[in-house]
mmCIF file of all heavy atoms in Angstrom:
data_model
loop_
_atom_site.group_PDB
_atom_site.id
_atom_site.type_symbol
_atom_site.label_atom_id
_atom_site.label_comp_id
_atom_site.label_asym_id
_atom_site.label_seq_id
_atom_site.Cartn_x
_atom_site.Cartn_y
_atom_site.Cartn_z
ATOM 1 N N ALA A 1597 -29.517 -57.121 -184.960
ATOM 2 C CA ALA A 1597 -30.317 -57.140 -183.731
ATOM 3 C C ALA A 1597 -31.775 -57.475 -184.023
ATOM 4 O O ALA A 1597 -32.392 -58.298 -183.321
ATOM 5 C CB ALA A 1597 -30.211 -55.786 -183.028
ATOM 6 N N GLY A 1617 -26.247 -62.974 -195.357
ATOM 7 C CA GLY A 1617 -27.560 -63.511 -195.683
ATOM 8 C C GLY A 1617 -27.579 -64.997 -195.892
ATOM 9 O O GLY A 1617 -28.456 -65.518 -196.595
ATOM 10 N N GLY A 1654 -43.758 -72.992 -216.206
ATOM 11 C CA GLY A 1654 -44.936 -72.213 -215.827
ATOM 12 C C GLY A 1654 -45.626 -72.729 -214.585
ATOM 13 O O GLY A 1654 -46.685 -72.208 -214.202
ATOM 14 N N GLU A 1687 -46.285 -68.379 -195.174
ATOM 15 C CA GLU A 1687 -46.941 -69.630 -195.535
ATOM 16 C C GLU A 1687 -47.835 -69.478 -196.756
ATOM 17 O O GLU A 1687 -47.870 -70.359 -197.628
ATOM 18 C CB GLU A 1687 -47.745 -70.160 -194.356
ATOM 19 C CG GLU A 1687 -46.905 -70.787 -193.255
ATOM 20 C CD GLU A 1687 -47.763 -71.342 -192.145
ATOM 21 O OE1 GLU A 1687 -48.400 -70.530 -191.443
ATOM 22 O OE2 GLU A 1687 -47.819 -72.568 -191.985
ATOM 23 N N ALA A 1803 5.187 -83.935 -203.732
ATOM 24 C CA ALA A 1803 6.617 -83.922 -203.398
ATOM 25 C C ALA A 1803 6.964 -82.805 -202.422
ATOM 26 O O ALA A 1803 8.011 -82.867 -201.750
ATOM 27 C CB ALA A 1803 7.450 -83.776 -204.673
ATOM 28 N N LEU A 1909 -30.160 -87.628 -212.038
ATOM 29 C CA LEU A 1909 -30.835 -88.849 -211.622
ATOM 30 C C LEU A 1909 -32.304 -88.617 -211.281
ATOM 31 O O LEU A 1909 -33.116 -89.550 -211.329
ATOM 32 C CB LEU A 1909 -30.124 -89.453 -210.410
ATOM 33 C CG LEU A 1909 -28.686 -89.932 -210.614
ATOM 34 C CD1 LEU A 1909 -28.111 -90.426 -209.302
ATOM 35 C CD2 LEU A 1909 -28.620 -91.018 -211.671
#
Side-chain angles (χ1 to χ4, degrees):
E1687 285 182 293
L1909 296 177

